[in-house]
Amino acid sequence: MNEYSMSPDSSTSPRAYVQTGVPQSFTIDGFRLNKSDLLPDHIKALNNLAKLIADTHQTQQPVLEIVFVGFADTSGTFTYNHYLGLKRACSAATHLLYVLHDKYRAQLKFPVPVTLNTEGKLTIVSADRPEKNRRVEIWLRAELPRRGYPPHGHNRGGSQQGPYQQHETVLDEIMQNL
């Protein structure tokens, strides 16, 4: 597997491995107070993530879905922070989709669906450092491995058997609980 640094300038940035069938979570944080504009480190991280997604489309386990969830700190009303979290998720998704289309569209096997969501100030990760709460979490779901592919033409009639069954992943559980 290729290793990608989500933010090359940050020693605390997550390391990305898209493991087969397991959604991977990436976080860009440190948004300015009451702002949804991307910072230079966010842009670098999203550019790296776009490359990772494009690279998975050259394998048997391409990224199938991207989910963006925006968050805010505890300042402001519930409604305002809910909206602000959604604006942050939208900013990140817009940039990532632009880069995927502009630089990597020839590598993508298919358009990758995107879901936007917000939790506003519902999920606080740091009481001491509010900038850590002003974040966007990005979840990727990669295709599950298919073992025992029959040779072409052996699956006539469109029936799905054995390894062709639909599998649930952690992302499916997360999405059901939102």
Side-chain angles (χ1 to χ4, degrees):
M1 292 266 164
N2 292 329
E3 186 175 299
Y4 298 82
S5 172
M6 287 298 297
S7 176
D9 298 332
S10 172
S11 62
T12 60
S13 67
R15 295 302 228 178
Y17 293 98
V18 176
Q19 300 171 6
T20 305
V22 179
Q24 296 296 296
S25 173
F26 307 96
T27 300
I28 55 174
D29 61 14
F31 282 85
R32 292 188 179 106
L33 184 64
N34 296 327
K35 300 289 183 189
S36 60
D37 302 332
L38 297 174
L39 300 173
D41 285 346
H42 299 155
I43 291 170
K44 287 179 190 175
L46 291 167
N47 290 347
N48 287 338
L49 184 57
K51 174 138 179 55
L52 181 146
I53 292 167
D55 286 350
T56 68
H57 277 246
Q58 306 308 305
T59 70
Q60 293 298 315
Q61 293 87 31
V63 168
L64 298 175
E65 183 177 15
I66 310 168
V67 177
F68 293 83
V69 183
F71 298 84
D73 60 24
T74 56
S75 64
T77 66
F78 177 82
T79 303
Y80 176 79
N81 283 334
H82 191 78
Y83 173 68
L84 182 58
L86 190 58
K87 282 179 59 177
R88 288 175 176 159
C90 187
S91 291
T94 300
H95 182 79
L96 182 69
L97 290 174
Y98 171 78
V99 174
L100 282 173
H101 176 75
D102 189 51
K103 289 187 175 181
Y104 301 109
R105 70 175 165 252
Q107 291 177 287
L108 298 178
K109 293 178 182 176
F110 50 83
V112 181
V114 170
T115 302
L116 299 177
N117 207 333
T118 181
E119 290 206 6
K121 63 180 182 179
L122 292 176
T123 309
I124 302 302
V125 294
S126 176
D128 299 338
R129 298 182 64 203
E131 69 276 4
K132 292 290 184 186
N133 299 316
R134 299 189 296 260
R135 69 192 188 283
V136 173
E137 291 180 0
I138 305 162
W139 292 82
L140 304 180
R141 182 173 63 92
E143 185 170 328
L144 292 168
R146 296 180 183 173
R147 296 189 185 123
Y149 270 122
H152 282 20
H154 288 338
N155 193 17
R156 292 189 183 108
S159 66
Q160 292 192 358
Q161 305 168 3
Y164 295 96
Q165 300 173 50
Q166 182 69 10
H167 296 279
E168 286 192 26
T169 65
V170 176
L171 182 60
D172 296 323
E173 293 175 22
I174 292 168
M175 295 305 292
Q176 289 174 358
N177 293 323
L178 289 178

mmCIF file of all heavy atoms in Angstrom, residues 2-6 16 18 26 43-59 62-63 66 95-105 107-108 112 140:
data_model
loop_
_atom_site.group_PDB
_atom_site.id
_atom_site.type_symbol
_atom_site.label_atom_id
_atom_site.label_comp_id
_atom_site.label_asym_id
_atom_site.label_seq_id
_atom_site.Cartn_x
_atom_site.Cartn_y
_atom_site.Cartn_z
ATOM 1 N N ASN A 2 0.404 2.255 -0.665
ATOM 2 C CA ASN A 2 1.095 3.536 -0.641
ATOM 3 C C ASN A 2 0.748 4.279 0.627
ATOM 4 O O ASN A 2 -0.357 4.178 1.129
ATOM 5 C CB ASN A 2 0.676 4.388 -1.838
ATOM 6 C CG ASN A 2 1.167 3.812 -3.136
ATOM 7 O OD1 ASN A 2 2.208 3.191 -3.173
ATOM 8 N ND2 ASN A 2 0.412 3.998 -4.200
ATOM 9 N N GLU A 3 1.691 5.012 1.145
ATOM 10 C CA GLU A 3 1.457 5.825 2.336
ATOM 11 C C GLU A 3 1.411 7.281 1.904
ATOM 12 O O GLU A 3 2.222 7.734 1.109
ATOM 13 C CB GLU A 3 2.593 5.609 3.328
ATOM 14 C CG GLU A 3 2.361 6.294 4.636
ATOM 15 C CD GLU A 3 3.445 5.962 5.631
ATOM 16 O OE1 GLU A 3 3.604 4.779 5.966
ATOM 17 O OE2 GLU A 3 4.131 6.894 6.060
ATOM 18 N N TYR A 4 0.425 7.997 2.428
ATOM 19 C CA TYR A 4 0.239 9.388 2.067
ATOM 20 C C TYR A 4 0.179 10.215 3.331
ATOM 21 O O TYR A 4 -0.523 9.876 4.256
ATOM 22 C CB TYR A 4 -1.070 9.580 1.294
ATOM 23 C CG TYR A 4 -1.107 8.838 0.003
ATOM 24 C CD1 TYR A 4 -1.431 7.489 -0.015
ATOM 25 C CD2 TYR A 4 -0.797 9.454 -1.183
ATOM 26 C CE1 TYR A 4 -1.453 6.785 -1.195
ATOM 27 C CE2 TYR A 4 -0.823 8.760 -2.364
ATOM 28 C CZ TYR A 4 -1.149 7.423 -2.364
ATOM 29 O OH TYR A 4 -1.165 6.730 -3.532
ATOM 30 N N SER A 5 0.892 11.297 3.349
ATOM 31 C CA SER A 5 0.791 12.220 4.467
ATOM 32 C C SER A 5 -0.300 13.212 4.135
ATOM 33 O O SER A 5 -0.267 13.858 3.096
ATOM 34 C CB SER A 5 2.120 12.942 4.671
ATOM 35 O OG SER A 5 1.970 13.949 5.624
ATOM 36 N N MET A 6 -1.266 13.336 5.031
ATOM 37 C CA MET A 6 -2.366 14.249 4.777
ATOM 38 C C MET A 6 -1.924 15.703 4.843
ATOM 39 O O MET A 6 -2.500 16.548 4.223
ATOM 40 C CB MET A 6 -3.507 14.019 5.772
ATOM 41 C CG MET A 6 -4.272 12.760 5.502
ATOM 42 S SD MET A 6 -5.048 12.816 3.901
ATOM 43 C CE MET A 6 -6.155 14.186 4.134
ATOM 44 N N ALA A 16 -2.352 7.916 6.041
ATOM 45 C CA ALA A 16 -3.500 7.367 5.332
ATOM 46 C C ALA A 16 -3.188 6.013 4.718
ATOM 47 O O ALA A 16 -2.266 5.882 3.944
ATOM 48 C CB ALA A 16 -3.914 8.326 4.227
ATOM 49 N N VAL A 18 -5.703 3.296 2.825
ATOM 50 C CA VAL A 18 -7.052 2.884 2.478
ATOM 51 C C VAL A 18 -7.030 1.364 2.510
ATOM 52 O O VAL A 18 -6.475 0.722 1.639
ATOM 53 C CB VAL A 18 -7.467 3.400 1.088
ATOM 54 C CG1 VAL A 18 -8.835 2.864 0.708
ATOM 55 C CG2 VAL A 18 -7.491 4.907 1.095
ATOM 56 N N PHE A 26 -10.056 10.996 7.934
ATOM 57 C CA PHE A 26 -9.034 12.022 7.882
ATOM 58 C C PHE A 26 -9.628 13.291 8.452
ATOM 59 O O PHE A 26 -10.816 13.548 8.293
ATOM 60 C CB PHE A 26 -8.592 12.267 6.438
ATOM 61 C CG PHE A 26 -8.173 11.011 5.747
ATOM 62 C CD1 PHE A 26 -9.062 10.320 4.949
ATOM 63 C CD2 PHE A 26 -6.905 10.500 5.917
ATOM 64 C CE1 PHE A 26 -8.692 9.151 4.321
ATOM 65 C CE2 PHE A 26 -6.524 9.334 5.299
ATOM 66 C CZ PHE A 26 -7.424 8.651 4.490
ATOM 67 N N ILE A 43 -5.548 22.851 2.144
ATOM 68 C CA ILE A 43 -5.461 22.652 0.700
ATOM 69 C C ILE A 43 -4.422 21.578 0.371
ATOM 70 O O ILE A 43 -4.672 20.699 -0.465
ATOM 71 C CB ILE A 43 -5.170 23.987 -0.008
ATOM 72 C CG1 ILE A 43 -6.407 24.890 0.117
ATOM 73 C CG2 ILE A 43 -4.766 23.792 -1.468
ATOM 74 C CD1 ILE A 43 -6.199 26.313 -0.310
ATOM 75 N N LYS A 44 -3.264 21.625 1.035
ATOM 76 C CA LYS A 44 -2.232 20.596 0.822
ATOM 77 C C LYS A 44 -2.770 19.214 1.185
ATOM 78 O O LYS A 44 -2.564 18.242 0.453
ATOM 79 C CB LYS A 44 -1.000 20.885 1.677
ATOM 80 C CG LYS A 44 -0.166 22.034 1.187
ATOM 81 C CD LYS A 44 1.016 22.249 2.117
ATOM 82 C CE LYS A 44 1.735 23.529 1.810
ATOM 83 N NZ LYS A 44 2.808 23.796 2.772
ATOM 84 N N ALA A 45 -3.463 19.131 2.309
ATOM 85 C CA ALA A 45 -4.008 17.843 2.754
ATOM 86 C C ALA A 45 -5.052 17.320 1.767
ATOM 87 O O ALA A 45 -5.050 16.133 1.420
ATOM 88 C CB ALA A 45 -4.619 17.985 4.146
ATOM 89 N N LEU A 46 -5.929 18.190 1.302
ATOM 90 C CA LEU A 46 -6.966 17.769 0.354
ATOM 91 C C LEU A 46 -6.363 17.388 -0.998
ATOM 92 O O LEU A 46 -6.839 16.453 -1.653
ATOM 93 C CB LEU A 46 -8.020 18.859 0.205
ATOM 94 C CG LEU A 46 -8.885 19.077 1.452
ATOM 95 C CD1 LEU A 46 -9.680 20.368 1.336
ATOM 96 C CD2 LEU A 46 -9.799 17.884 1.700
ATOM 97 N N ASN A 47 -5.308 18.074 -1.415
ATOM 98 C CA ASN A 47 -4.617 17.696 -2.651
ATOM 99 C C ASN A 47 -4.015 16.304 -2.526
ATOM 100 O O ASN A 47 -4.080 15.501 -3.458
ATOM 101 C CB ASN A 47 -3.539 18.718 -2.999
ATOM 102 C CG ASN A 47 -4.116 20.057 -3.432
ATOM 103 O OD1 ASN A 47 -5.307 20.183 -3.709
ATOM 104 N ND2 ASN A 47 -3.269 21.067 -3.467
ATOM 105 N N ASN A 48 -3.403 16.017 -1.373
ATOM 106 C CA ASN A 48 -2.844 14.688 -1.136
ATOM 107 C C ASN A 48 -3.947 13.628 -1.099
ATOM 108 O O ASN A 48 -3.777 12.519 -1.604
ATOM 109 C CB ASN A 48 -2.057 14.650 0.173
ATOM 110 C CG ASN A 48 -0.747 15.387 0.072
ATOM 111 O OD1 ASN A 48 -0.217 15.592 -1.007
ATOM 112 N ND2 ASN A 48 -0.218 15.806 1.208
ATOM 113 N N LEU A 49 -5.075 13.974 -0.494
ATOM 114 C CA LEU A 49 -6.190 13.040 -0.426
ATOM 115 C C LEU A 49 -6.748 12.762 -1.827
ATOM 116 O O LEU A 49 -7.097 11.624 -2.145
ATOM 117 C CB LEU A 49 -7.279 13.582 0.491
ATOM 118 C CG LEU A 49 -8.475 12.669 0.726
ATOM 119 C CD1 LEU A 49 -8.047 11.323 1.298
ATOM 120 C CD2 LEU A 49 -9.470 13.349 1.665
ATOM 121 N N ALA A 50 -6.813 13.767 -2.675
ATOM 122 C CA ALA A 50 -7.275 13.562 -4.050
ATOM 123 C C ALA A 50 -6.368 12.573 -4.777
ATOM 124 O O ALA A 50 -6.847 11.686 -5.498
ATOM 125 C CB ALA A 50 -7.322 14.899 -4.795
ATOM 126 N N LYS A 51 -5.063 12.702 -4.584
ATOM 127 C CA LYS A 51 -4.120 11.761 -5.204
ATOM 128 C C LYS A 51 -4.339 10.355 -4.674
ATOM 129 O O LYS A 51 -4.343 9.389 -5.445
ATOM 130 C CB LYS A 51 -2.684 12.204 -4.959
ATOM 131 C CG LYS A 51 -1.668 11.173 -5.448
ATOM 132 C CD LYS A 51 -0.518 11.775 -6.145
ATOM 133 C CE LYS A 51 0.515 10.768 -6.612
ATOM 134 N NZ LYS A 51 0.015 9.707 -7.444
ATOM 135 N N LEU A 52 -4.533 10.229 -3.370
ATOM 136 C CA LEU A 52 -4.789 8.917 -2.779
ATOM 137 C C LEU A 52 -6.035 8.289 -3.404
ATOM 138 O O LEU A 52 -6.035 7.122 -3.784
ATOM 139 C CB LEU A 52 -4.971 9.051 -1.273
ATOM 140 C CG LEU A 52 -5.235 7.777 -0.490
ATOM 141 C CD1 LEU A 52 -4.598 7.872 0.872
ATOM 142 C CD2 LEU A 52 -6.714 7.507 -0.339
ATOM 143 N N ILE A 53 -7.102 9.062 -3.528
ATOM 144 C CA ILE A 53 -8.352 8.545 -4.099
ATOM 145 C C ILE A 53 -8.125 8.112 -5.543
ATOM 146 O O ILE A 53 -8.546 7.032 -5.958
ATOM 147 C CB ILE A 53 -9.471 9.596 -3.977
ATOM 148 C CG1 ILE A 53 -9.852 9.783 -2.506
ATOM 149 C CG2 ILE A 53 -10.693 9.186 -4.804
ATOM 150 C CD1 ILE A 53 -10.711 11.001 -2.227
ATOM 151 N N ALA A 54 -7.452 8.942 -6.320
ATOM 152 C CA ALA A 54 -7.173 8.593 -7.714
ATOM 153 C C ALA A 54 -6.321 7.334 -7.805
ATOM 154 O O ALA A 54 -6.566 6.466 -8.652
ATOM 155 C CB ALA A 54 -6.489 9.759 -8.418
ATOM 156 N N ASP A 55 -5.339 7.202 -6.928
ATOM 157 C CA ASP A 55 -4.485 6.014 -6.932
ATOM 158 C C ASP A 55 -5.273 4.745 -6.617
ATOM 159 O O ASP A 55 -4.987 3.691 -7.165
ATOM 160 C CB ASP A 55 -3.324 6.171 -5.946
ATOM 161 C CG ASP A 55 -2.258 7.126 -6.438
ATOM 162 O OD1 ASP A 55 -2.302 7.530 -7.629
ATOM 163 O OD2 ASP A 55 -1.384 7.493 -5.623
ATOM 164 N N THR A 56 -6.272 4.845 -5.739
ATOM 165 C CA THR A 56 -7.068 3.646 -5.431
ATOM 166 C C THR A 56 -7.869 3.203 -6.644
ATOM 167 O O THR A 56 -8.207 2.022 -6.758
ATOM 168 C CB THR A 56 -8.037 3.855 -4.248
ATOM 169 O OG1 THR A 56 -9.067 4.785 -4.610
ATOM 170 C CG2 THR A 56 -7.308 4.286 -3.000
ATOM 171 N N HIS A 57 -8.162 4.109 -7.551
ATOM 172 C CA HIS A 57 -8.919 3.744 -8.753
ATOM 173 C C HIS A 57 -8.056 2.993 -9.766
ATOM 174 O O HIS A 57 -8.571 2.519 -10.779
ATOM 175 C CB HIS A 57 -9.548 4.984 -9.386
ATOM 176 C CG HIS A 57 -10.839 5.356 -8.728
ATOM 177 N ND1 HIS A 57 -12.042 5.288 -9.359
ATOM 178 C CD2 HIS A 57 -11.105 5.757 -7.462
ATOM 179 C CE1 HIS A 57 -13.006 5.644 -8.534
ATOM 180 N NE2 HIS A 57 -12.453 5.950 -7.368
ATOM 181 N N GLN A 58 -6.774 2.852 -9.473
ATOM 182 C CA GLN A 58 -5.890 2.035 -10.294
ATOM 183 C C GLN A 58 -5.726 0.644 -9.695
ATOM 184 O O GLN A 58 -4.927 -0.150 -10.174
ATOM 185 C CB GLN A 58 -4.520 2.713 -10.435
ATOM 186 C CG GLN A 58 -4.588 4.139 -10.955
ATOM 187 C CD GLN A 58 -5.386 4.266 -12.238
ATOM 188 O OE1 GLN A 58 -5.104 3.598 -13.221
ATOM 189 N NE2 GLN A 58 -6.409 5.114 -12.219
ATOM 190 N N THR A 59 -6.469 0.359 -8.625
ATOM 191 C CA THR A 59 -6.401 -0.935 -7.946
ATOM 192 C C THR A 59 -7.760 -1.627 -8.047
ATOM 193 O O THR A 59 -8.702 -1.096 -8.617
ATOM 194 C CB THR A 59 -6.045 -0.757 -6.455
ATOM 195 O OG1 THR A 59 -7.155 -0.165 -5.771
ATOM 196 C CG2 THR A 59 -4.795 0.100 -6.278
ATOM 197 N N PRO A 62 -11.136 0.468 -5.386
ATOM 198 C CA PRO A 62 -11.228 1.930 -5.488
ATOM 199 C C PRO A 62 -12.111 2.517 -4.400
ATOM 200 O O PRO A 62 -12.980 1.834 -3.852
ATOM 201 C CB PRO A 62 -11.870 2.138 -6.862
ATOM 202 C CG PRO A 62 -12.676 0.909 -7.085
ATOM 203 C CD PRO A 62 -11.882 -0.206 -6.451
ATOM 204 N N VAL A 63 -11.869 3.776 -4.084
ATOM 205 C CA VAL A 63 -12.744 4.483 -3.149
ATOM 206 C C VAL A 63 -14.109 4.611 -3.820
ATOM 207 O O VAL A 63 -14.221 5.060 -4.953
ATOM 208 C CB VAL A 63 -12.167 5.870 -2.786
ATOM 209 C CG1 VAL A 63 -13.187 6.719 -2.051
ATOM 210 C CG2 VAL A 63 -10.910 5.702 -1.941
ATOM 211 N N ILE A 66 -17.241 9.175 -0.472
ATOM 212 C CA ILE A 66 -16.558 10.121 0.403
ATOM 213 C C ILE A 66 -17.628 10.837 1.220
ATOM 214 O O ILE A 66 -18.596 11.335 0.660
ATOM 215 C CB ILE A 66 -15.749 11.165 -0.389
ATOM 216 C CG1 ILE A 66 -14.845 10.506 -1.431
ATOM 217 C CG2 ILE A 66 -14.942 12.044 0.555
ATOM 218 C CD1 ILE A 66 -14.254 11.481 -2.429
ATOM 219 N N HIS A 95 -13.317 21.754 -2.801
ATOM 220 C CA HIS A 95 -11.907 21.740 -3.219
ATOM 221 C C HIS A 95 -11.489 20.338 -3.659
ATOM 222 O O HIS A 95 -10.844 20.186 -4.711
ATOM 223 C CB HIS A 95 -10.984 22.249 -2.103
ATOM 224 C CG HIS A 95 -9.561 22.276 -2.542
ATOM 225 N ND1 HIS A 95 -9.047 23.284 -3.338
ATOM 226 C CD2 HIS A 95 -8.552 21.394 -2.357
ATOM 227 C CE1 HIS A 95 -7.783 23.027 -3.610
ATOM 228 N NE2 HIS A 95 -7.449 21.884 -3.016
ATOM 229 N N LEU A 96 -11.835 19.326 -2.879
ATOM 230 C CA LEU A 96 -11.439 17.966 -3.227
ATOM 231 C C LEU A 96 -12.025 17.553 -4.576
ATOM 232 O O LEU A 96 -11.321 16.994 -5.422
ATOM 233 C CB LEU A 96 -11.865 16.977 -2.138
ATOM 234 C CG LEU A 96 -11.449 15.534 -2.394
ATOM 235 C CD1 LEU A 96 -9.938 15.383 -2.291
ATOM 236 C CD2 LEU A 96 -12.134 14.603 -1.427
ATOM 237 N N LEU A 97 -13.296 17.840 -4.803
ATOM 238 C CA LEU A 97 -13.921 17.478 -6.074
ATOM 239 C C LEU A 97 -13.307 18.245 -7.242
ATOM 240 O O LEU A 97 -13.140 17.697 -8.338
ATOM 241 C CB LEU A 97 -15.427 17.722 -6.009
ATOM 242 C CG LEU A 97 -16.184 16.758 -5.096
ATOM 243 C CD1 LEU A 97 -17.637 17.174 -4.989
ATOM 244 C CD2 LEU A 97 -16.054 15.323 -5.572
ATOM 245 N N TYR A 98 -12.959 19.505 -7.017
ATOM 246 C CA TYR A 98 -12.297 20.286 -8.058
ATOM 247 C C TYR A 98 -10.969 19.638 -8.445
ATOM 248 O O TYR A 98 -10.671 19.462 -9.633
ATOM 249 C CB TYR A 98 -12.069 21.729 -7.602
ATOM 250 C CG TYR A 98 -11.205 22.494 -8.575
ATOM 251 C CD1 TYR A 98 -11.743 22.985 -9.765
ATOM 252 C CD2 TYR A 98 -9.847 22.682 -8.328
ATOM 253 C CE1 TYR A 98 -10.941 23.657 -10.681
ATOM 254 C CE2 TYR A 98 -9.046 23.344 -9.231
ATOM 255 C CZ TYR A 98 -9.592 23.827 -10.407
ATOM 256 O OH TYR A 98 -8.784 24.475 -11.314
ATOM 257 N N VAL A 99 -10.163 19.263 -7.451
ATOM 258 C CA VAL A 99 -8.858 18.663 -7.737
ATOM 259 C C VAL A 99 -9.035 17.310 -8.426
ATOM 260 O O VAL A 99 -8.319 16.998 -9.387
ATOM 261 C CB VAL A 99 -8.010 18.532 -6.451
ATOM 262 C CG1 VAL A 99 -6.720 17.768 -6.710
ATOM 263 C CG2 VAL A 99 -7.693 19.917 -5.891
ATOM 264 N N LEU A 100 -9.985 16.513 -7.953
ATOM 265 C CA LEU A 100 -10.234 15.215 -8.600
ATOM 266 C C LEU A 100 -10.602 15.406 -10.068
ATOM 267 O O LEU A 100 -10.114 14.684 -10.940
ATOM 268 C CB LEU A 100 -11.345 14.452 -7.874
ATOM 269 C CG LEU A 100 -10.959 13.771 -6.577
ATOM 270 C CD1 LEU A 100 -12.200 13.209 -5.881
ATOM 271 C CD2 LEU A 100 -9.939 12.656 -6.819
ATOM 272 N N HIS A 101 -11.440 16.374 -10.337
ATOM 273 C CA HIS A 101 -11.857 16.610 -11.719
ATOM 274 C C HIS A 101 -10.724 17.226 -12.550
ATOM 275 O O HIS A 101 -10.462 16.799 -13.677
ATOM 276 C CB HIS A 101 -13.080 17.533 -11.753
ATOM 277 C CG HIS A 101 -13.495 17.888 -13.147
ATOM 278 N ND1 HIS A 101 -14.139 17.002 -13.971
ATOM 279 C CD2 HIS A 101 -13.327 19.025 -13.862
ATOM 280 C CE1 HIS A 101 -14.366 17.574 -15.139
ATOM 281 N NE2 HIS A 101 -13.885 18.805 -15.098
ATOM 282 N N ASP A 102 -10.050 18.206 -11.996
ATOM 283 C CA ASP A 102 -9.031 18.935 -12.739
ATOM 284 C C ASP A 102 -7.783 18.104 -13.018
ATOM 285 O O ASP A 102 -7.253 18.129 -14.128
ATOM 286 C CB ASP A 102 -8.660 20.208 -11.971
ATOM 287 C CG ASP A 102 -7.779 21.137 -12.780
ATOM 288 O OD1 ASP A 102 -8.148 21.440 -13.938
ATOM 289 O OD2 ASP A 102 -6.726 21.548 -12.255
ATOM 290 N N LYS A 103 -7.302 17.368 -12.031
ATOM 291 C CA LYS A 103 -6.026 16.662 -12.169
ATOM 292 C C LYS A 103 -6.150 15.162 -12.412
ATOM 293 O O LYS A 103 -5.254 14.566 -12.998
ATOM 294 C CB LYS A 103 -5.175 16.868 -10.912
ATOM 295 C CG LYS A 103 -4.632 18.247 -10.745
ATOM 296 C CD LYS A 103 -3.672 18.304 -9.578
ATOM 297 C CE LYS A 103 -3.031 19.660 -9.471
ATOM 298 N NZ LYS A 103 -2.086 19.729 -8.358
ATOM 299 N N TYR A 104 -7.207 14.542 -11.904
ATOM 300 C CA TYR A 104 -7.231 13.076 -11.868
ATOM 301 C C TYR A 104 -8.424 12.438 -12.570
ATOM 302 O O TYR A 104 -8.624 11.236 -12.458
ATOM 303 C CB TYR A 104 -7.193 12.600 -10.413
ATOM 304 C CG TYR A 104 -5.974 13.079 -9.675
ATOM 305 C CD1 TYR A 104 -6.075 14.050 -8.680
ATOM 306 C CD2 TYR A 104 -4.707 12.584 -9.971
ATOM 307 C CE1 TYR A 104 -4.952 14.505 -8.003
ATOM 308 C CE2 TYR A 104 -3.583 13.035 -9.306
ATOM 309 C CZ TYR A 104 -3.707 13.992 -8.319
ATOM 310 O OH TYR A 104 -2.601 14.438 -7.659
ATOM 311 N N ARG A 105 -9.219 13.188 -13.314
ATOM 312 C CA ARG A 105 -10.431 12.607 -13.895
ATOM 313 C C ARG A 105 -10.120 11.444 -14.831
ATOM 314 O O ARG A 105 -10.905 10.518 -14.930
ATOM 315 C CB ARG A 105 -11.280 13.666 -14.575
ATOM 316 C CG ARG A 105 -10.726 14.231 -15.837
ATOM 317 C CD ARG A 105 -11.704 15.205 -16.500
ATOM 318 N NE ARG A 105 -10.997 15.985 -17.497
ATOM 319 C CZ ARG A 105 -10.704 17.250 -17.373
ATOM 320 N NH1 ARG A 105 -11.077 17.912 -16.298
ATOM 321 N NH2 ARG A 105 -10.035 17.882 -18.305
ATOM 322 N N GLN A 107 -7.910 9.196 -14.382
ATOM 323 C CA GLN A 107 -7.594 8.017 -13.579
ATOM 324 C C GLN A 107 -8.815 7.409 -12.895
ATOM 325 O O GLN A 107 -8.773 6.257 -12.496
ATOM 326 C CB GLN A 107 -6.571 8.372 -12.499
ATOM 327 C CG GLN A 107 -5.199 8.674 -13.031
ATOM 328 C CD GLN A 107 -4.270 9.075 -11.910
ATOM 329 O OE1 GLN A 107 -4.372 10.174 -11.376
ATOM 330 N NE2 GLN A 107 -3.381 8.176 -11.545
ATOM 331 N N LEU A 108 -9.868 8.180 -12.739
ATOM 332 C CA LEU A 108 -11.035 7.697 -12.003
ATOM 333 C C LEU A 108 -11.852 6.758 -12.872
ATOM 334 O O LEU A 108 -12.180 7.070 -14.014
ATOM 335 C CB LEU A 108 -11.898 8.865 -11.531
ATOM 336 C CG LEU A 108 -11.238 9.846 -10.571
ATOM 337 C CD1 LEU A 108 -12.194 10.978 -10.230
ATOM 338 C CD2 LEU A 108 -10.771 9.145 -9.307
ATOM 339 N N VAL A 112 -17.046 9.578 -7.958
ATOM 340 C CA VAL A 112 -17.174 9.122 -6.576
ATOM 341 C C VAL A 112 -18.252 9.957 -5.879
ATOM 342 O O VAL A 112 -18.138 11.181 -5.811
ATOM 343 C CB VAL A 112 -15.834 9.251 -5.826
ATOM 344 C CG1 VAL A 112 -15.955 8.746 -4.407
ATOM 345 C CG2 VAL A 112 -14.731 8.500 -6.563
ATOM 346 N N LEU A 140 -13.583 7.805 3.916
ATOM 347 C CA LEU A 140 -13.525 7.125 2.627
ATOM 348 C C LEU A 140 -13.979 5.688 2.811
ATOM 349 O O LEU A 140 -13.633 5.038 3.796
ATOM 350 C CB LEU A 140 -12.094 7.095 2.085
ATOM 351 C CG LEU A 140 -11.361 8.416 1.932
ATOM 352 C CD1 LEU A 140 -9.974 8.156 1.374
ATOM 353 C CD2 LEU A 140 -12.124 9.374 1.064
#
